[in-house]
Amino acid sequence: MNTTTAPNALTSITLEVPDIADAERFYAAFDLGSQLEFRQSAEHSEGFRGFTISLIVSQPANAGVLLDAAIDAGATVIKPAAKNLWGFGGTVKAPDGTIVKVATSKKKNTEPASSRIDDVVVLLAASNVPASKRFYSEQGFTPGKSFGSYVEFETRPGTIKLGLYKRSALAKDAGVPEEGSGAHRIAFGNERGAFTDPDGFTWI
């Protein structure tokens, strides 16, 4: 593929964790394969780190399977699995501090439960959503639907979805206070090369 003309894409997530072996054991609950990588880091972070990872599934039973597996592996429940205005879902915090949301727009099950994940979505907290939207457009990402404090970028099949959200709104969606400091402790792979966004998120 000619990456000089094709839209840029989020190709992988690298979490900076205290212990790689422990992280590998925990995230095996989600089986994200090559989309998720780890590197060891002792950088300090406190409170909300400014991002969430959402795992989108096709029905409530699948969300339940994944959330139960995460809890069994050591996750802390932030929002218990439940029906909501938009469907069904729950939010947990991984042992390394990453916030993971598992959700579906469906409220009823239509097939046997499984751990299949349909989409992985990274939402980044932006201090200035319009400015960050312009920045990412300059890096080759194509804006899709947007409203006020939220922007979603177009995604090719097989790549991770990317969105920007106002920090206070993203923290509220995650179920945590918006205050936080220190390193984000996450980096993202893309097809255009290294850069750092206006809020300090690193792309490699």
Side-chain angles (χ1 to χ4, degrees):
M1 176 178 294
N2 185 347
T3 57
T4 61
T5 57
N8 204 349
L10 199 175
T11 54
S12 65
I13 302 165
T14 298
L15 293 177
E16 297 178 348
V17 298
D19 186 284
I20 291 176
D22 286 347
E24 288 175 340
R25 282 191 290 270
F26 172 78
Y27 286 97
F30 301 131
D31 191 23
L32 295 176
S34 62
Q35 290 184 317
L36 183 62
E37 301 174 350
F38 307 99
R39 63 186 180 196
Q40 193 163 11
S41 173
E43 283 198 85
H44 173 74
S45 63
E46 185 173 340
F48 183 43
R49 282 157 48 190
F51 71 91
T52 63
I53 298 174
S54 293
L55 309 178
I56 308 303
V57 298
S58 62
Q59 60 177 7
N62 295 11
V65 167
L66 289 166
L67 289 166
D68 287 346
I71 293 165
D72 289 345
T76 301
V77 176
I78 299 175
K79 287 185 176 181
K83 288 183 179 180
N84 53 52
L85 182 63
W86 307 109
F88 181 94
T91 306
V92 297
K93 180 181 286 187
D96 66 274
T98 299
I99 295 173
V100 180
K101 180 178 181 179
V102 185
T104 176
S105 60
K106 307 297 183 183
K107 295 186 179 182
K108 294 183 179 180
N109 298 313
T110 58
E111 60 186 15
S114 78
S115 59
R116 186 182 73 248
I117 296 169
D118 297 330
D119 286 304
V120 179
V121 183
V122 171
L123 291 178
L124 303 182
S127 55
N128 184 322
V129 174
S132 290
K133 178 182 177 180
R134 288 193 297 272
F135 176 86
Y136 276 96
S137 296
E138 292 168 358
Q139 309 309 314
F141 290 88
T142 303
K145 64 181 181 181
S146 64
F147 55 88
S149 62
Y150 177 81
V151 176
E152 182 179 296
F153 294 93
E154 294 182 359
T155 308
R156 297 199 311 274
T159 59
I160 302 165
K161 293 179 182 289
L162 173 66
L164 304 173
Y165 215 172
K166 185 177 178 181
R167 184 180 178 91
S168 58
L170 182 57
K172 182 178 180 180
D173 181 69
V176 297
E178 68 175 286
E179 293 76 22
S181 61
H184 293 301
R185 289 172 52 195
I186 192 169
F188 306 104
N190 79 113
E191 298 174 330
R192 298 292 179 86
F195 62 88
T196 300
D197 85 353
D199 293 286
F201 288 101
T202 301
W203 290 72
I204 53 180

